[in-house]
Amino acid sequence: YHLIPNKVYQSTASKKCTVTMYSKVLEEFYNEKDLVTCENTPESLSKVLIELINNIDLIEEISINGYKQFNTIYKETKKKFEQFIKLI
């Protein structure tokens, strides 16, 4: 059973460029334009961070896309929750 780490929601909601370890569950809500993933190795993380440091425009793009996607997720979840509450 896999969950999306809270830090992913927190950082995308804060309009930050999110870097996290790859997990298949991320694909349910996010794509490669919304956040950056890497393998669970120091080499993979350092490679991703160096690429980002050298591409400020990409950092900005991912920050904005992640923020937009978080808001989409939030609005959909809020709507479903409100419907659920009406049923009980």
Side-chain angles (χ1 to χ4, degrees):
Y1 188 65
H2 298 279
L3 299 172
I4 295 178
N6 285 335
K7 70 177 182 176
V8 171
Y9 294 121
Q10 293 165 349
S11 61
T12 56
S14 300
K15 208 181 233 183
K16 301 297 180 194
C17 180
T18 304
V19 178
T20 190
M21 185 177 71
Y22 174 79
S23 173
K24 185 101 173 125
V25 72
L26 290 170
E27 295 174 7
E28 290 184 43
F29 300 101
Y30 294 97
N31 65 51
E32 68 278 352
K33 295 178 182 178
D34 304 327
L35 50 79
V36 179
T37 60
C38 64
E39 298 303 317
N40 190 16
T41 66
E43 295 82 13
S44 179
L45 178 59
S46 65
K47 180 182 175 198
V48 166
L49 293 177
I50 290 168
E51 289 173 3
L52 288 170
I53 288 168
N54 291 315
N55 193 342
I56 300 300
D57 291 337
L58 182 59
I59 291 173
E60 183 67 21
E61 180 182 336
I62 291 170
S63 300
I64 291 168
N65 291 341
Y67 179 73
K68 288 178 182 177
Q69 183 59 18
F70 171 82
N71 280 306
T72 299
I73 295 166
Y74 176 79
K75 288 174 187 171
E76 290 174 5
T77 303
K78 180 182 176 192
K79 182 178 177 182
K80 289 177 184 177
F81 183 71
E82 288 170 345
Q83 291 170 346
F84 173 74
I85 293 298
K86 287 180 184 177
L87 291 174
I88 56 173

